[in-house]
């Protein structure tokens, strides 16, 4: 997969978007909504499509090769452990990393970034989630920020290879109707971002990288890590 430093350029060349930044992301499992709510939204699927045979073959190959990789990793870990036992500085660094990770987890929970959305199926975020896999059955989205829109792109169907070559725009939200923010900006680096809709509802996306190019872009913004938005209702693109 292309590194996120090239994803904004990819969005410009392949999708024709005036991209400020971009990142591959996914969402956690969508909970089962009330039957009448799902039916009113068109009954779109709530899960990504099953993996295709080529992808299953890749998983099988990984399973076959995994023991060899695990053995090499174990040998490397033993060597690292021997060096670590001799180094008080390494022990101090390990403790600091563990504390940082603990603090990050606590901050994620405190800001509700461990939750998929605000829980209101009738609000904009809930309605958007009901159509998430109706737009594309692929498990990931390329989240793109442009001066005018929050854009999501993906292959129309699940693929195992060449996802960047097959992706199309599957949803566009004007910046007057939603913005992307990093609630942990300058608190902890993380792989979480929040899409905040103008009616106050929100959903959480998980980026492939920590931090992603979007996190870095938001860090440079003057308004504390979010793109501008005016307050007005929003519905996802059909």
């Amino acid at each position: 997969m292309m590194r996120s430093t090239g994803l904004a350029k990819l969005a410009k060349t392949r999708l024709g978007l005036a991209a400020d930044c971009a990142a591959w992301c996914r969402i956690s499992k969508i909970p089962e909504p009330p039957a009448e709510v799902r039916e009113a939204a068109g009954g779109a699927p709530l899960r990504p499509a099953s993996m295709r045979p080529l992808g299953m073959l890749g998983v099988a190959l990984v399973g076959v090769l995994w023991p060899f990789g695990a053995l090499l990793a174990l040998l490397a870990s033993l060597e690292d452990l021997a060096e670590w036992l001799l180094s008080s500085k390494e022990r101090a660094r390990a403790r600091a990393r563990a504390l940082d990770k603990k603090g990050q987890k606590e901050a994620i929970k405190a800001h509700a970034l461990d939750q998929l959305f605000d829980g209101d199926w009738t609000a904009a975020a809930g309605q958007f989630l009901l159509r998430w896999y109706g737009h594309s059955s692929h498990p990931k989205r390329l989240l793109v920020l442009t001066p005018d829109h929050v854009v999501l792109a993906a292959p129309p169907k699940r693929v195992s290879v060449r996802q960047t070559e097959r992706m199309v725009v599957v949803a566009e939200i004007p910046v007057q109707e939603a913005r992307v923010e990093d609630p942990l900006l300058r608190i902890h680096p993380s792989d979480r971002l929040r899409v905040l809709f103008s009616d106050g509802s929100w959903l959480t996306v998980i980026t492939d990288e920590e931090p992603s190019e979007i996190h870095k872009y938001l860090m440079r913004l003057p308004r504390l890590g979010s793109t501008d938005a005016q307050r007005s209702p929003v519905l996802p693109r059909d």
Side-chain angles (χ1 to χ4, degrees), residues 6-49:
L7 290 177
K9 181 178 180 180
L10 176 69
K12 292 177 182 178
T13 57
R14 188 164 298 280
L15 301 173
L17 299 172
D20 292 322
C21 56
W24 283 105
C25 68
R26 59 181 174 84
I27 59 172
S28 56
K29 183 179 179 180
I30 299 177
E32 189 67 33
E36 64 275 13
V37 172
R38 185 178 180 185
E39 183 179 353
L46 300 178
R47 304 287 182 270

Side-chain angles (χ1 to χ4, degrees), residues 198-235:
S198 57
D199 64 354
S201 62
W202 51 266
L203 63 90
T204 301
V205 298
I206 305 170
T207 59
D208 276 4
E209 292 186 308
E210 178 189 323
S212 71
E213 279 300 302
I214 294 181
H215 289 91
K216 297 173 185 176
Y217 173 79
L218 294 177
M219 179 71 76
R220 298 192 295 268
L221 290 181
R223 293 199 55 178
L224 298 180
S226 66
T227 52
D228 273 335
Q230 297 176 0
R231 297 290 176 180
S232 59
V234 59
L235 289 176

Side-chain angles (χ1 to χ4, degrees), residues 118 124-125 150 173-183 193-204 226-232 234:
D118 59 281
V150 175
I173 311 170
V175 295
Q176 294 84 6
E177 299 172 351
R179 68 178 185 265
V180 173
E181 64 178 14
D182 176 8
L193 291 168
R194 177 172 289 159
V195 182
L196 180 63
F197 290 82
S198 57
D199 64 354
S201 62
W202 51 266
L203 63 90
T204 301
S226 66
T227 52
D228 273 335
Q230 297 176 0
R231 297 290 176 180
S232 59
V234 59

Side-chain angles (χ1 to χ4, degrees), residues 42-175:
L46 300 178
R47 304 287 182 270
S50 300
M51 190 177 296
R52 292 187 173 187
L54 180 59
M56 295 175 67
L57 176 61
V59 171
L61 288 174
V62 170
V64 171
L65 297 174
W66 179 84
F68 300 102
L71 177 60
L72 293 175
L74 176 60
L75 293 175
S77 297
L78 290 174
E79 183 179 354
D80 291 341
L81 178 60
E83 294 180 0
W84 178 78
L85 290 173
L86 298 175
S87 172
S88 59
K89 290 183 179 180
E90 280 301 319
R91 290 197 295 273
R93 292 192 190 102
R95 286 194 294 269
R97 286 193 295 267
L99 287 173
D100 285 345
K101 200 66 178 177
K102 180 181 179 182
Q104 182 194 67
K105 289 182 179 180
E106 291 174 348
I108 285 175
K109 186 173 182 179
H111 288 80
L113 291 172
D114 58 338
Q115 301 176 28
L116 174 58
F117 78 121
D118 59 281
D120 186 353
W121 289 109
T122 65
Q127 290 291 301
F128 193 84
L129 285 173
L130 288 170
R131 295 170 172 84
W132 184 275
Y133 293 114
H135 293 156
S136 166
S137 60
H138 196 72
K140 291 187 179 182
R141 300 288 184 271
L142 184 67
L143 176 62
V144 185
L145 304 189
T146 78
D148 302 316
H149 291 85
V150 175
V151 181
L152 292 170
K157 297 181 179 180
R158 183 164 191 163
V159 294
S160 303
V161 295
R162 299 172 59 195
Q163 63 180 6
T164 57
E165 297 177 24
R166 302 179 186 185
M167 68 180 179
V168 296
V169 172
V170 296
E172 293 180 89
I173 311 170
V175 295

